[in-house]
């Protein structure tokens, strides 16, 4: 059994944080430290095919929820709290429905329990066009990506995954080959009849289109106690665009 890689911060009640697609635990280090200062033992997890966790050709939300359960058993974690963003939010939803006895409070950041058509193709195409055999610096990779991805923030997000596999040879932490072939799975929904009846907060970005008013009924069907709150003037990366409000609203909910 392969265990997920994590960074553990602080002491107290367990709080597991799950990153989004092409992300990693490091994306949450600053917010994780803030939660740790408020009495949580924060587990920043790299999901399979991401960060420093294992690579696998098998990739779906049932497996990813099972990975988290194995992690909890391996670390002997008592009942705790779960926060997931985007793809990590789907994993968190699936986990809460499959293992509800472990979850006190659940926070889902800017994703709904519904199917999303593949919409990362331009980014994946740009990544797959890179020839890392001849690109020997982060600057050169960034320059090459800029031909297809004009948004500096997205490029910097992707470049955080870049590392030296060995002297003179760059690689990405994420499993680009598998993820490129699993776009349908990444957009997939949790099971149609699955439900978590515990305290749940959905936080959406005010400028994001990932959660629409039409999704409220579906959210309530799967998560009958769900509350929905908005962080205005933020997009899909609401936790990075307004970390102060994201932290305050999350902490208030976790402590209720």
């Amino acid at each position: 059994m392969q265990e997920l890689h994590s960074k553990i911060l602080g002491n107290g009640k367990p709080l597991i944080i799950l990153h989004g697609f092409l992300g990693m635990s490091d994306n949450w280090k600053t917010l994780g430290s803030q939660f740790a200062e408020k009495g949580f033992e924060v587990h920043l997890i790299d999901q399979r095919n991401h960060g420093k966790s294992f690579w696998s050709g098998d990739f779906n939300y049932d497996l990813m929820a099972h990975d988290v359960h194995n992690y909890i058993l391996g670390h002997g974690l008592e009942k705790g709290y779960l926060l997931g963003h985007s793809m990590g939010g789907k994993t968190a939803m699936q986990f809460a429905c499959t293992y509800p006895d472990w979850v006190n409070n659940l926070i889902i950041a800017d994703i709904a329990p519904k199917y999303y058509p593949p919409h990362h193709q331009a980014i994946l195409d740009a990544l797959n066009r890179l020839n890392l055999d001849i690109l020997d610096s982060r600057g050169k990779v960034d320059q090459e990506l800029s031909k297809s991805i004009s948004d500096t923030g997205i490029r910097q997000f992707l470049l955080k995954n870049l590392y030296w596999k060995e002297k003179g040879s760059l690689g990405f932490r994420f499993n680009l080959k598998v993820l490129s072939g699993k776009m349908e799975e990444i957009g997939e929904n949790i099971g149609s009849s699955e439900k978590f009846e515990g305290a749940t907060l959905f936080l959406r970005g005010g400028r994001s289109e990932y959660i629409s008013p039409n999704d409220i009924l579906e959210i309530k069907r799967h998560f009958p106690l769900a509350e929905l709150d908005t962080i205005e003037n933020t997009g899909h990366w609401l936790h990075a665009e307004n970390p102060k409000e994201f932290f305050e609203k999350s902490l208030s909910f976790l402590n209720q």
Side-chain angles (χ1 to χ4, degrees), residues 50-115:
H50 290 79
K52 295 181 180 177
S53 281
F54 62 90
W55 285 14
S56 170
D58 298 315
F59 189 82
N60 60 57
Y61 289 115
D62 284 326
L63 286 173
M64 291 155 79
H66 187 60
D67 290 342
V68 175
H69 187 241
N70 285 340
Y71 177 90
I72 285 166
L73 294 177
H75 286 263
L77 301 183
E78 62 186 33
K79 186 173 183 177
Y81 303 83
L82 192 57
L83 188 166
H85 170 246
S86 198
M87 181 192 79
K90 283 279 186 73
T91 304
M93 286 189 255
Q94 186 64 60
F95 178 89
C97 291
T98 308
Y99 307 100
D101 291 344
W102 189 84
V103 183
N104 274 318
N105 293 25
L106 174 67
I107 300 177
I108 306 298
D110 211 56
I111 200 79
K114 67 177 182 181
Y115 172 74

Side-chain angles (χ1 to χ4, degrees), residues 4 28-29 41 54 68 78 114 118 124-125 153 176-177 190 196 202 205 222 243 247:
L4 299 172
W28 287 85
K29 196 159 56 176
E41 181 181 276
F54 62 90
V68 175
E78 62 186 33
K114 67 177 182 181
L124 290 170
D125 287 347
L176 183 59
K177 182 179 178 181
I190 61 173
F196 172 67
F202 281 76
H222 290 286
F247 175 72

Side-chain angles (χ1 to χ4, degrees), residues 138-200:
R138 290 173 184 271
K140 289 180 181 177
V141 175
D142 185 37
Q143 187 175 20
E144 197 64 28
L145 280 176
S146 70
K147 295 175 182 176
S148 306
I149 303 171
S150 59
D151 189 308
T152 305
I154 292 176
R155 294 202 310 275
Q156 291 306 309
F157 170 76
L158 296 171
L159 290 169
K160 283 184 179 178
N161 286 277
L162 206 58
Y163 76 109
W164 294 104
K165 294 189 296 183
E166 55 191 45
K167 189 175 181 180
S169 177
L170 286 166
F172 282 109
R173 294 283 184 195
F174 45 67
N175 188 340
L176 183 59
K177 182 179 178 181
V178 165
L179 296 175
S180 295
K182 294 289 185 178
M183 291 310 299
E184 288 289 338
E185 292 290 354
I186 291 160
E188 198 50 74
N189 192 15
I190 61 173
S192 60
S193 63
E194 292 184 304
K195 186 179 288 190
F196 172 67
E197 303 196 28
T200 307

Side-chain angles (χ1 to χ4, degrees), residues 15 17 28 31 35 38 40 81-84 105-109 201-203 229 231 238-239 242-256:
L15 167 62
I17 299 180
W28 287 85
L31 276 167
F35 284 117
K38 296 296 183 180
F40 293 91
Y81 303 83
L82 192 57
L83 188 166
N105 293 25
L106 174 67
I107 300 177
I108 306 298
L201 173 65
F202 281 76
L203 281 173
D229 202 350
I231 298 180
L238 64 174
H239 58 290
N242 190 342
K244 183 175 184 291
E245 189 172 344
F246 184 91
F247 175 72
E248 289 169 354
K249 289 186 172 183
S250 297
L251 184 65
S252 175
F253 179 76
L254 292 173
N255 284 333
Q256 70 179 16

